[in-house]
Amino acid sequence: MSDNQLNSVPEQEEKEAHLLDYLHVVQRRWKIALVVFLLVFAVVTIKTFLETPIYQATVTLRIGLKPDTSQEVLEKRKERYYSMESELQVLSSFKVAERAAQLLQLNWHLRDASQESALQIRRLIVQDDIDWLALQVLDGGRFKLFNDSVVLLEDGRSGIPFAEKVKGLIELGPVKPGDVYELVRITSDQAARMVSQGVSAYPMGDLTSMIGLSVERTDPKTARDVANAIAAAYANQDREQKLKEAATILDMIDQQLAALGAQLNVSEQNLQKFKIQTGLQRLSPEGASMIDVAVSLEKQRADLLQKKQKIDEFSKNPGYSALDTSMAESLPGVPELLTRLLELRGIRGELLREYTPSHPDVIEVEGKIGLLKEEIAKAAVVAIRSLDQEIAAIDVELEISSKKLEQVPEEELELARLSRSSSVNAELYSYLLQRQQEERIAQASITSKVEIVNEAILPVSPIKPNKQKAFGLGALIGLLLGVGLTFLLEYLD
């Protein structure tokens, strides 16, 4: 046997001796280890069962950028500007929370928030001059509502809608007959803050346009209802913004049509009157060619003026609408500024959930928003100046065209002027009528780019506390503490 083999035998025996010593220590003091284990496990178990369960409801949304049917048919502009971060900020914004609160009809709340487990106000509509109500619990899951000494609801039942002097739906929890709870009317800001609590939005993958929206509440039905309400409010807001854009464009076109229609009537009457007086019925080929050039230039001028008006409207109040995204693409550097603006508005909404508008943090964010708006306005001014230069160039060409017309005989010159005025007005009027019909078709087919892929369903089990994890962790900690205490006592002995 070699020297190495001889040396390894004592080492193995020494290791086995140490292991047996450890086992003997635990064996001698196993009762102490067991007591510590049971004590720790019991504390963790009691704490887990006493902790208020939290339920989570989740909605899946898809942000689509496909054009509307009318846009495909008419080959109109498409929305190419897109920012997932801006969509997340809008979804989590205070504005969307306000809309969701309106959908949920959150007008009333328990005065004592600690009593929320006693009852859930699903819906309650009361006349505006009442700001305080009392709910008295009766037997058999019944209750009544009264204000001072006036009974507004004599016999309401838990979970059953009522529609007498007041309308709503209230669900009773673990209550006793004779208990009285105070209900107070809340403001729209308070309702929005309640809705936005426990809400989180997140992208579902880097290469997808899917967004997840989760809501955590102590009541599973409330979690489900709030999640679905926020998703619906977000989709409705997107569609309303598009409708507002279409209405703005239609309003501009209608105003132009009204003014141009009056000019067209006057110009046609003057032309017809001149033809009757002079007997001239048509222009020479040269004069007709000049008229065609003038009409084309006037149409270009009208397009540039309309674009200028849109940019001017955008620069005054850039927001979330599709008009903003289409305008941003035509202004260098503005898409990035608009994305940052939406992020700051989301941050401001988060701050307003906890602070008042006079808080320093809110004021600081407002200042940054103001600076971004100034930058966007400067970019819009540069774009408008460029359009003004193009319009000025067209005006020069129109002036040259007018001087060329002066070279024809006097009577034909007057006929040319009248014909030009009538033709220009008629062409512009026809062009605006076509634009009006296109915008009406687009408006009628507007849909939200937000699609609710999966609505929130009623969660059946809480996400907090995780009982299996808590029990496993309690057992492990109890075992370690118990064994550790036995060795500590052995060392001190």
Side-chain angles (χ1 to χ4, degrees), residues 173-206:
V175 294
K176 299 177 182 178
D179 289 347
V180 177
Y181 299 92
E182 291 186 77
L183 312 181
V184 292
R185 188 187 294 275
I186 58 177
T187 64
S188 59
D189 287 349
Q190 290 174 323
R193 290 189 181 94
M194 289 173 56
V195 167
S196 59
Q197 291 176 356
V199 176
S200 60
Y202 47 89
M204 302 182 69
D206 296 333

PDB file of all heavy atoms in Angstrom, residues 173-206:
ATOM      1  N   GLY A 173     -70.873  42.258   1.781  1.00  0.00           N
ATOM      2  CA  GLY A 173     -69.891  41.269   2.176  1.00  0.00           C
ATOM      3  C   GLY A 173     -70.259  40.678   3.528  1.00  0.00           C
ATOM      4  O   GLY A 173     -71.442  40.471   3.834  1.00  0.00           O
ATOM      5  N   PRO A 174     -69.271  40.436   4.372  1.00  0.00           N
ATOM      6  CA  PRO A 174     -69.542  39.910   5.718  1.00  0.00           C
ATOM      7  C   PRO A 174     -70.063  41.015   6.647  1.00  0.00           C
ATOM      8  O   PRO A 174     -69.295  41.669   7.349  1.00  0.00           O
ATOM      9  CB  PRO A 174     -68.180  39.386   6.175  1.00  0.00           C
ATOM     10  CG  PRO A 174     -67.186  40.206   5.402  1.00  0.00           C
ATOM     11  CD  PRO A 174     -67.828  40.515   4.094  1.00  0.00           C
ATOM     12  N   VAL A 175     -71.358  41.244   6.638  1.00  0.00           N
ATOM     13  CA  VAL A 175     -71.982  42.296   7.441  1.00  0.00           C
ATOM     14  C   VAL A 175     -73.044  41.680   8.355  1.00  0.00           C
ATOM     15  O   VAL A 175     -73.467  40.542   8.163  1.00  0.00           O
ATOM     16  CB  VAL A 175     -72.623  43.375   6.542  1.00  0.00           C
ATOM     17  CG1 VAL A 175     -71.553  44.116   5.755  1.00  0.00           C
ATOM     18  CG2 VAL A 175     -73.632  42.751   5.573  1.00  0.00           C
ATOM     19  N   LYS A 176     -73.481  42.481   9.323  1.00  0.00           N
ATOM     20  CA  LYS A 176     -74.501  42.036  10.268  1.00  0.00           C
ATOM     21  C   LYS A 176     -75.722  42.939  10.182  1.00  0.00           C
ATOM     22  O   LYS A 176     -75.575  44.145   9.928  1.00  0.00           O
ATOM     23  CB  LYS A 176     -73.951  42.069  11.698  1.00  0.00           C
ATOM     24  CG  LYS A 176     -72.751  41.167  11.934  1.00  0.00           C
ATOM     25  CD  LYS A 176     -72.238  41.317  13.358  1.00  0.00           C
ATOM     26  CE  LYS A 176     -71.003  40.459  13.592  1.00  0.00           C
ATOM     27  NZ  LYS A 176     -70.476  40.649  14.982  1.00  0.00           N
ATOM     28  N   PRO A 177     -76.899  42.398  10.343  1.00  0.00           N
ATOM     29  CA  PRO A 177     -78.104  43.241  10.352  1.00  0.00           C
ATOM     30  C   PRO A 177     -77.992  44.335  11.414  1.00  0.00           C
ATOM     31  O   PRO A 177     -77.561  44.087  12.545  1.00  0.00           O
ATOM     32  CB  PRO A 177     -79.225  42.262  10.686  1.00  0.00           C
ATOM     33  CG  PRO A 177     -78.721  40.929  10.226  1.00  0.00           C
ATOM     34  CD  PRO A 177     -77.240  40.962  10.470  1.00  0.00           C
ATOM     35  N   GLY A 178     -78.314  45.536  11.035  1.00  0.00           N
ATOM     36  CA  GLY A 178     -78.214  46.675  11.938  1.00  0.00           C
ATOM     37  C   GLY A 178     -76.978  47.529  11.708  1.00  0.00           C
ATOM     38  O   GLY A 178     -76.926  48.676  12.171  1.00  0.00           O
ATOM     39  N   ASP A 179     -75.959  46.996  11.004  1.00  0.00           N
ATOM     40  CA  ASP A 179     -74.758  47.794  10.709  1.00  0.00           C
ATOM     41  C   ASP A 179     -75.116  48.951   9.775  1.00  0.00           C
ATOM     42  O   ASP A 179     -75.957  48.812   8.878  1.00  0.00           O
ATOM     43  CB  ASP A 179     -73.687  46.930  10.037  1.00  0.00           C
ATOM     44  CG  ASP A 179     -73.077  45.933  11.015  1.00  0.00           C
ATOM     45  OD1 ASP A 179     -73.307  46.085  12.228  1.00  0.00           O
ATOM     46  OD2 ASP A 179     -72.378  45.007  10.559  1.00  0.00           O
ATOM     47  N   VAL A 180     -74.473  50.093   9.991  1.00  0.00           N
ATOM     48  CA  VAL A 180     -74.712  51.284   9.170  1.00  0.00           C
ATOM     49  C   VAL A 180     -73.375  51.756   8.600  1.00  0.00           C
ATOM     50  O   VAL A 180     -72.384  51.874   9.329  1.00  0.00           O
ATOM     51  CB  VAL A 180     -75.374  52.417   9.989  1.00  0.00           C
ATOM     52  CG1 VAL A 180     -75.552  53.664   9.122  1.00  0.00           C
ATOM     53  CG2 VAL A 180     -76.723  51.962  10.533  1.00  0.00           C
ATOM     54  N   TYR A 181     -73.373  52.019   7.306  1.00  0.00           N
ATOM     55  CA  TYR A 181     -72.164  52.475   6.624  1.00  0.00           C
ATOM     56  C   TYR A 181     -72.452  53.808   5.931  1.00  0.00           C
ATOM     57  O   TYR A 181     -73.503  53.983   5.313  1.00  0.00           O
ATOM     58  CB  TYR A 181     -71.703  51.439   5.589  1.00  0.00           C
ATOM     59  CG  TYR A 181     -71.364  50.101   6.199  1.00  0.00           C
ATOM     60  CD1 TYR A 181     -72.328  49.094   6.306  1.00  0.00           C
ATOM     61  CD2 TYR A 181     -70.091  49.852   6.690  1.00  0.00           C
ATOM     62  CE1 TYR A 181     -72.015  47.863   6.868  1.00  0.00           C
ATOM     63  CE2 TYR A 181     -69.763  48.616   7.253  1.00  0.00           C
ATOM     64  CZ  TYR A 181     -70.733  47.637   7.346  1.00  0.00           C
ATOM     65  OH  TYR A 181     -70.425  46.424   7.917  1.00  0.00           O
ATOM     66  N   GLU A 182     -71.485  54.721   6.020  1.00  0.00           N
ATOM     67  CA  GLU A 182     -71.630  56.033   5.399  1.00  0.00           C
ATOM     68  C   GLU A 182     -71.020  56.030   3.991  1.00  0.00           C
ATOM     69  O   GLU A 182     -69.897  55.554   3.796  1.00  0.00           O
ATOM     70  CB  GLU A 182     -70.934  57.105   6.242  1.00  0.00           C
ATOM     71  CG  GLU A 182     -71.618  57.384   7.563  1.00  0.00           C
ATOM     72  CD  GLU A 182     -70.961  58.555   8.276  1.00  0.00           C
ATOM     73  OE1 GLU A 182     -71.224  59.716   7.879  1.00  0.00           O
ATOM     74  OE2 GLU A 182     -70.187  58.300   9.214  1.00  0.00           O
ATOM     75  N   LEU A 183     -71.767  56.561   3.034  1.00  0.00           N
ATOM     76  CA  LEU A 183     -71.306  56.680   1.660  1.00  0.00           C
ATOM     77  C   LEU A 183     -71.190  58.157   1.312  1.00  0.00           C
ATOM     78  O   LEU A 183     -72.072  58.951   1.654  1.00  0.00           O
ATOM     79  CB  LEU A 183     -72.271  55.994   0.685  1.00  0.00           C
ATOM     80  CG  LEU A 183     -72.747  54.577   1.030  1.00  0.00           C
ATOM     81  CD1 LEU A 183     -73.674  54.056  -0.055  1.00  0.00           C
ATOM     82  CD2 LEU A 183     -71.555  53.646   1.206  1.00  0.00           C
ATOM     83  N   VAL A 184     -70.123  58.533   0.625  1.00  0.00           N
ATOM     84  CA  VAL A 184     -69.914  59.933   0.242  1.00  0.00           C
ATOM     85  C   VAL A 184     -69.696  60.010  -1.265  1.00  0.00           C
ATOM     86  O   VAL A 184     -69.121  59.099  -1.877  1.00  0.00           O
ATOM     87  CB  VAL A 184     -68.716  60.559   0.988  1.00  0.00           C
ATOM     88  CG1 VAL A 184     -69.026  60.705   2.467  1.00  0.00           C
ATOM     89  CG2 VAL A 184     -67.455  59.736   0.785  1.00  0.00           C
ATOM     90  N   ARG A 185     -70.156  61.115  -1.838  1.00  0.00           N
ATOM     91  CA  ARG A 185     -69.922  61.343  -3.267  1.00  0.00           C
ATOM     92  C   ARG A 185     -68.475  61.787  -3.476  1.00  0.00           C
ATOM     93  O   ARG A 185     -67.948  62.599  -2.707  1.00  0.00           O
ATOM     94  CB  ARG A 185     -70.883  62.413  -3.794  1.00  0.00           C
ATOM     95  CG  ARG A 185     -70.834  62.582  -5.310  1.00  0.00           C
ATOM     96  CD  ARG A 185     -71.675  63.771  -5.728  1.00  0.00           C
ATOM     97  NE  ARG A 185     -73.082  63.571  -5.467  1.00  0.00           N
ATOM     98  CZ  ARG A 185     -73.917  62.949  -6.299  1.00  0.00           C
ATOM     99  NH1 ARG A 185     -73.454  62.462  -7.453  1.00  0.00           N
ATOM    100  NH2 ARG A 185     -75.194  62.821  -5.994  1.00  0.00           N
ATOM    101  N   ILE A 186     -67.842  61.282  -4.509  1.00  0.00           N
ATOM    102  CA  ILE A 186     -66.451  61.628  -4.791  1.00  0.00           C
ATOM    103  C   ILE A 186     -66.371  62.404  -6.103  1.00  0.00           C
ATOM    104  O   ILE A 186     -67.259  62.313  -6.951  1.00  0.00           O
ATOM    105  CB  ILE A 186     -65.559  60.370  -4.877  1.00  0.00           C
ATOM    106  CG1 ILE A 186     -66.067  59.406  -5.958  1.00  0.00           C
ATOM    107  CG2 ILE A 186     -65.486  59.678  -3.538  1.00  0.00           C
ATOM    108  CD1 ILE A 186     -65.196  58.186  -6.134  1.00  0.00           C
ATOM    109  N   THR A 187     -65.304  63.188  -6.250  1.00  0.00           N
ATOM    110  CA  THR A 187     -65.106  63.976  -7.452  1.00  0.00           C
ATOM    111  C   THR A 187     -64.538  63.102  -8.578  1.00  0.00           C
ATOM    112  O   THR A 187     -64.095  61.965  -8.336  1.00  0.00           O
ATOM    113  CB  THR A 187     -64.151  65.144  -7.186  1.00  0.00           C
ATOM    114  OG1 THR A 187     -62.849  64.611  -6.843  1.00  0.00           O
ATOM    115  CG2 THR A 187     -64.657  66.008  -6.040  1.00  0.00           C
ATOM    116  N   SER A 188     -64.527  63.640  -9.780  1.00  0.00           N
ATOM    117  CA  SER A 188     -63.989  62.892 -10.918  1.00  0.00           C
ATOM    118  C   SER A 188     -62.492  62.627 -10.741  1.00  0.00           C
ATOM    119  O   SER A 188     -61.994  61.562 -11.137  1.00  0.00           O
ATOM    120  CB  SER A 188     -64.246  63.655 -12.216  1.00  0.00           C
ATOM    121  OG  SER A 188     -63.642  64.937 -12.167  1.00  0.00           O
ATOM    122  N   ASP A 189     -61.766  63.585 -10.131  1.00  0.00           N
ATOM    123  CA  ASP A 189     -60.338  63.377  -9.884  1.00  0.00           C
ATOM    124  C   ASP A 189     -60.116  62.242  -8.884  1.00  0.00           C
ATOM    125  O   ASP A 189     -59.213  61.409  -9.064  1.00  0.00           O
ATOM    126  CB  ASP A 189     -59.695  64.657  -9.355  1.00  0.00           C
ATOM    127  CG  ASP A 189     -59.548  65.717 -10.434  1.00  0.00           C
ATOM    128  OD1 ASP A 189     -59.754  65.384 -11.620  1.00  0.00           O
ATOM    129  OD2 ASP A 189     -59.236  66.870 -10.090  1.00  0.00           O
ATOM    130  N   GLN A 190     -60.920  62.222  -7.827  1.00  0.00           N
ATOM    131  CA  GLN A 190     -60.792  61.144  -6.838  1.00  0.00           C
ATOM    132  C   GLN A 190     -61.125  59.791  -7.466  1.00  0.00           C
ATOM    133  O   GLN A 190     -60.447  58.794  -7.197  1.00  0.00           O
ATOM    134  CB  GLN A 190     -61.723  61.417  -5.653  1.00  0.00           C
ATOM    135  CG  GLN A 190     -61.294  62.592  -4.782  1.00  0.00           C
ATOM    136  CD  GLN A 190     -62.332  62.917  -3.718  1.00  0.00           C
ATOM    137  OE1 GLN A 190     -63.546  62.826  -3.954  1.00  0.00           O
ATOM    138  NE2 GLN A 190     -61.866  63.316  -2.545  1.00  0.00           N
ATOM    139  N   ALA A 191     -62.161  59.757  -8.313  1.00  0.00           N
ATOM    140  CA  ALA A 191     -62.531  58.506  -8.980  1.00  0.00           C
ATOM    141  C   ALA A 191     -61.411  58.031  -9.902  1.00  0.00           C
ATOM    142  O   ALA A 191     -61.101  56.837  -9.963  1.00  0.00           O
ATOM    143  CB  ALA A 191     -63.822  58.702  -9.771  1.00  0.00           C
ATOM    144  N   ALA A 192     -60.782  58.975 -10.619  1.00  0.00           N
ATOM    145  CA  ALA A 192     -59.686  58.610 -11.517  1.00  0.00           C
ATOM    146  C   ALA A 192     -58.498  58.066 -10.731  1.00  0.00           C
ATOM    147  O   ALA A 192     -57.841  57.109 -11.168  1.00  0.00           O
ATOM    148  CB  ALA A 192     -59.267  59.820 -12.349  1.00  0.00           C
ATOM    149  N   ARG A 193     -58.222  58.664  -9.568  1.00  0.00           N
ATOM    150  CA  ARG A 193     -57.110  58.170  -8.741  1.00  0.00           C
ATOM    151  C   ARG A 193     -57.399  56.759  -8.237  1.00  0.00           C
ATOM    152  O   ARG A 193     -56.502  55.918  -8.166  1.00  0.00           O
ATOM    153  CB  ARG A 193     -56.867  59.117  -7.565  1.00  0.00           C
ATOM    154  CG  ARG A 193     -56.282  60.464  -7.968  1.00  0.00           C
ATOM    155  CD  ARG A 193     -55.862  61.268  -6.751  1.00  0.00           C
ATOM    156  NE  ARG A 193     -55.313  62.562  -7.123  1.00  0.00           N
ATOM    157  CZ  ARG A 193     -56.003  63.673  -7.187  1.00  0.00           C
ATOM    158  NH1 ARG A 193     -57.303  63.669  -6.870  1.00  0.00           N
ATOM    159  NH2 ARG A 193     -55.441  64.815  -7.545  1.00  0.00           N
ATOM    160  N   MET A 194     -58.653  56.495  -7.891  1.00  0.00           N
ATOM    161  CA  MET A 194     -59.024  55.150  -7.448  1.00  0.00           C
ATOM    162  C   MET A 194     -58.833  54.140  -8.572  1.00  0.00           C
ATOM    163  O   MET A 194     -58.331  53.038  -8.356  1.00  0.00           O
ATOM    164  CB  MET A 194     -60.476  55.143  -6.975  1.00  0.00           C
ATOM    165  CG  MET A 194     -60.717  55.875  -5.661  1.00  0.00           C
ATOM    166  SD  MET A 194     -62.485  55.997  -5.287  1.00  0.00           S
ATOM    167  CE  MET A 194     -62.971  54.279  -5.336  1.00  0.00           C
ATOM    168  N   VAL A 195     -59.226  54.522  -9.785  1.00  0.00           N
ATOM    169  CA  VAL A 195     -59.106  53.619 -10.929  1.00  0.00           C
ATOM    170  C   VAL A 195     -57.641  53.325 -11.232  1.00  0.00           C
ATOM    171  O   VAL A 195     -57.259  52.200 -11.547  1.00  0.00           O
ATOM    172  CB  VAL A 195     -59.800  54.231 -12.165  1.00  0.00           C
ATOM    173  CG1 VAL A 195     -59.418  53.471 -13.436  1.00  0.00           C
ATOM    174  CG2 VAL A 195     -61.307  54.197 -11.992  1.00  0.00           C
ATOM    175  N   SER A 196     -56.779  54.344 -11.135  1.00  0.00           N
ATOM    176  CA  SER A 196     -55.384  54.195 -11.552  1.00  0.00           C
ATOM    177  C   SER A 196     -54.513  53.464 -10.530  1.00  0.00           C
ATOM    178  O   SER A 196     -53.358  53.149 -10.830  1.00  0.00           O
ATOM    179  CB  SER A 196     -54.779  55.572 -11.834  1.00  0.00           C
ATOM    180  OG  SER A 196     -54.845  56.399 -10.677  1.00  0.00           O
ATOM    181  N   GLN A 197     -55.037  53.181  -9.350  1.00  0.00           N
ATOM    182  CA  GLN A 197     -54.247  52.464  -8.341  1.00  0.00           C
ATOM    183  C   GLN A 197     -54.056  51.004  -8.757  1.00  0.00           C
ATOM    184  O   GLN A 197     -54.998  50.337  -9.155  1.00  0.00           O
ATOM    185  CB  GLN A 197     -54.932  52.531  -6.980  1.00  0.00           C
ATOM    186  CG  GLN A 197     -54.930  53.921  -6.342  1.00  0.00           C
ATOM    187  CD  GLN A 197     -55.701  53.955  -5.042  1.00  0.00           C
ATOM    188  OE1 GLN A 197     -56.306  52.970  -4.638  1.00  0.00           O
ATOM    189  NE2 GLN A 197     -55.693  55.095  -4.387  1.00  0.00           N
ATOM    190  N   GLY A 198     -52.833  50.545  -8.641  1.00  0.00           N
ATOM    191  CA  GLY A 198     -52.554  49.136  -8.946  1.00  0.00           C
ATOM    192  C   GLY A 198     -52.615  48.793 -10.418  1.00  0.00           C
ATOM    193  O   GLY A 198     -52.785  47.618 -10.769  1.00  0.00           O
ATOM    194  N   VAL A 199     -52.485  49.791 -11.300  1.00  0.00           N
ATOM    195  CA  VAL A 199     -52.560  49.572 -12.749  1.00  0.00           C
ATOM    196  C   VAL A 199     -51.154  49.619 -13.333  1.00  0.00           C
ATOM    197  O   VAL A 199     -50.365  50.500 -13.001  1.00  0.00           O
ATOM    198  CB  VAL A 199     -53.448  50.642 -13.423  1.00  0.00           C
ATOM    199  CG1 VAL A 199     -53.440  50.472 -14.938  1.00  0.00           C
ATOM    200  CG2 VAL A 199     -54.871  50.551 -12.893  1.00  0.00           C
ATOM    201  N   SER A 200     -50.843  48.675 -14.203  1.00  0.00           N
ATOM    202  CA  SER A 200     -49.548  48.679 -14.883  1.00  0.00           C
ATOM    203  C   SER A 200     -49.736  48.238 -16.331  1.00  0.00           C
ATOM    204  O   SER A 200     -50.529  47.342 -16.619  1.00  0.00           O
ATOM    205  CB  SER A 200     -48.555  47.745 -14.176  1.00  0.00           C
ATOM    206  OG  SER A 200     -49.044  46.418 -14.153  1.00  0.00           O
ATOM    207  N   ALA A 201     -49.027  48.919 -17.241  1.00  0.00           N
ATOM    208  CA  ALA A 201     -49.065  48.593 -18.669  1.00  0.00           C
ATOM    209  C   ALA A 201     -47.650  48.257 -19.127  1.00  0.00           C
ATOM    210  O   ALA A 201     -46.695  48.905 -18.711  1.00  0.00           O
ATOM    211  CB  ALA A 201     -49.631  49.764 -19.470  1.00  0.00           C
ATOM    212  N   TYR A 202     -47.522  47.273 -19.989  1.00  0.00           N
ATOM    213  CA  TYR A 202     -46.194  46.812 -20.389  1.00  0.00           C
ATOM    214  C   TYR A 202     -46.278  46.190 -21.794  1.00  0.00           C
ATOM    215  O   TYR A 202     -47.298  45.620 -22.183  1.00  0.00           O
ATOM    216  CB  TYR A 202     -45.665  45.770 -19.401  1.00  0.00           C
ATOM    217  CG  TYR A 202     -46.677  44.693 -19.068  1.00  0.00           C
ATOM    218  CD1 TYR A 202     -46.762  43.528 -19.833  1.00  0.00           C
ATOM    219  CD2 TYR A 202     -47.574  44.856 -18.018  1.00  0.00           C
ATOM    220  CE1 TYR A 202     -47.705  42.551 -19.548  1.00  0.00           C
ATOM    221  CE2 TYR A 202     -48.524  43.885 -17.729  1.00  0.00           C
ATOM    222  CZ  TYR A 202     -48.581  42.740 -18.485  1.00  0.00           C
ATOM    223  OH  TYR A 202     -49.521  41.784 -18.214  1.00  0.00           O
ATOM    224  N   PRO A 203     -45.204  46.330 -22.601  1.00  0.00           N
ATOM    225  CA  PRO A 203     -45.194  45.694 -23.925  1.00  0.00           C
ATOM    226  C   PRO A 203     -45.004  44.195 -23.793  1.00  0.00           C
ATOM    227  O   PRO A 203     -44.235  43.715 -22.959  1.00  0.00           O
ATOM    228  CB  PRO A 203     -43.996  46.357 -24.617  1.00  0.00           C
ATOM    229  CG  PRO A 203     -43.105  46.791 -23.502  1.00  0.00           C
ATOM    230  CD  PRO A 203     -43.998  47.138 -22.338  1.00  0.00           C
ATOM    231  N   MET A 204     -45.697  43.436 -24.635  1.00  0.00           N
ATOM    232  CA  MET A 204     -45.610  41.978 -24.593  1.00  0.00           C
ATOM    233  C   MET A 204     -44.653  41.494 -25.688  1.00  0.00           C
ATOM    234  O   MET A 204     -45.072  40.930 -26.701  1.00  0.00           O
ATOM    235  CB  MET A 204     -46.993  41.363 -24.744  1.00  0.00           C
ATOM    236  CG  MET A 204     -47.976  41.812 -23.682  1.00  0.00           C
ATOM    237  SD  MET A 204     -49.600  41.035 -23.824  1.00  0.00           S
ATOM    238  CE  MET A 204     -49.196  39.341 -23.375  1.00  0.00           C
ATOM    239  N   GLY A 205     -43.381  41.797 -25.520  1.00  0.00           N
ATOM    240  CA  GLY A 205     -42.380  41.394 -26.502  1.00  0.00           C
ATOM    241  C   GLY A 205     -41.883  42.584 -27.299  1.00  0.00           C
ATOM    242  O   GLY A 205     -42.623  43.523 -27.573  1.00  0.00           O
ATOM    243  N   ASP A 206     -40.614  42.529 -27.701  1.00  0.00           N
ATOM    244  CA  ASP A 206     -39.997  43.631 -28.426  1.00  0.00           C
ATOM    245  C   ASP A 206     -40.451  43.705 -29.872  1.00  0.00           C
ATOM    246  O   ASP A 206     -40.460  44.774 -30.470  1.00  0.00           O
ATOM    247  CB  ASP A 206     -38.467  43.496 -28.376  1.00  0.00           C
ATOM    248  CG  ASP A 206     -37.934  43.609 -26.954  1.00  0.00           C
ATOM    249  OD1 ASP A 206     -38.596  44.267 -26.134  1.00  0.00           O
ATOM    250  OD2 ASP A 206     -36.873  43.023 -26.672  1.00  0.00           O
TER     251      ASP A 206
END
